[in-house]
Amino acid sequence: MLVLHGPNLNLLGQREPGVYGSVTLDEIDRLIDREARTLHVKASCFQSNHEGALVDAIQQAWGQYNGLLINPAAYTHTSVAIRDAIAAVDLPAVEVHLSNIHQREPFRHHSYIAPIAVGQISGFGYYSYVLGLHALVHHLRGRRPPHLQESPESI
Ligand code: DQA
């Protein structure tokens, strides 16, 4: 899995802790790595404050990764380029946000990414990444709920 963090997320821990919490990006990346191991997948995390660098990372993911977990941060609300890059590489993407963007200022309610994402998780603080990773892996594995999985006895 490729995990991308957008602009200003390198300041997590110090940046508006009332909105984004006190957990640092480094702590989030370590949590993602630990969670990925429990799911038997690999996750590489990358943060950039630059739209083009995020577009480059998405393009380079083509053929290298199976899925994308992305917090595009402010670019969520502005970036056609990031949306087009995700659509171009045709990589299943889950959009995550620490804060609940729908509870905040109107300009944060619109996401350019949401229409081309598998889904969006918003408002659970650092735990949005854990939920997002689980959702992405679940989507990729196409699993039915365990109690509904077909076994030879049930066919
Ligand atoms: C954010 C929400 C965005 O509106 C904001 O610009 C961010 C962080 C979040 O994780 O809550 O930088 O993506």
Side-chain angles (χ1 to χ4, degrees):
M1 306 301 129
L2 177 63
V3 182
L4 292 181
H5 308 287
N8 300 308
L9 294 174
N10 54 314
L11 300 180
L12 284 179
Q14 313 154 21
R15 173 195 184 201
E16 300 182 77
V19 177
Y20 298 115
S22 56
V23 177
T24 67
L25 190 62
D26 192 48
E27 289 167 338
I28 289 175
D29 284 348
R30 279 189 273 139
L31 178 64
I32 290 169
D33 183 60
R34 207 187 62 182
E35 208 61 32
R37 284 167 204 269
T38 69
L39 291 166
H40 306 289
V41 297
K42 284 188 186 152
S44 313
C45 301
F46 173 69
Q47 187 274 334
S48 179
N49 293 323
H50 304 278
E51 187 175 18
L54 293 164
V55 169
D56 286 343
I58 294 164
Q59 288 186 9
Q60 285 157 15
W62 208 337
Q64 303 296 316
Y65 292 91
N66 295 115
L68 176 66
L69 185 67
I70 183 166
N71 182 349
Y75 289 137
T76 307
H77 321 297
T78 63
S79 182
V80 177
I82 290 176
R83 173 201 176 117
D84 284 355
I86 297 170
V89 298
D90 202 17
L91 209 58
V94 171
E95 175 186 347
V96 298
H97 299 282
L98 298 135
S99 62
N100 182 344
I101 58 172
H102 304 286
Q103 266 176 2
R104 300 183 63 195
E105 304 94 322
F107 69 86
R108 295 186 202 276
H109 295 179
H110 177 259
S111 166
Y112 278 100
I113 314 304
I116 50 108
V118 176
Q120 182 194 70
I121 293 171
S122 180
F124 296 93
Y126 73 86
Y127 202 67
S128 288
Y129 284 94
V130 175
L131 295 170
L133 184 65
H134 277 262
L136 182 59
V137 172
H138 179 82
H139 172 80
L140 288 165
R141 290 183 175 155
R143 289 265 173 85
R144 282 163 60 77
H147 69 290
L148 295 178
Q149 274 173 30
E150 288 175 4
S151 66
E153 296 81 33
S154 68
I155 298 170

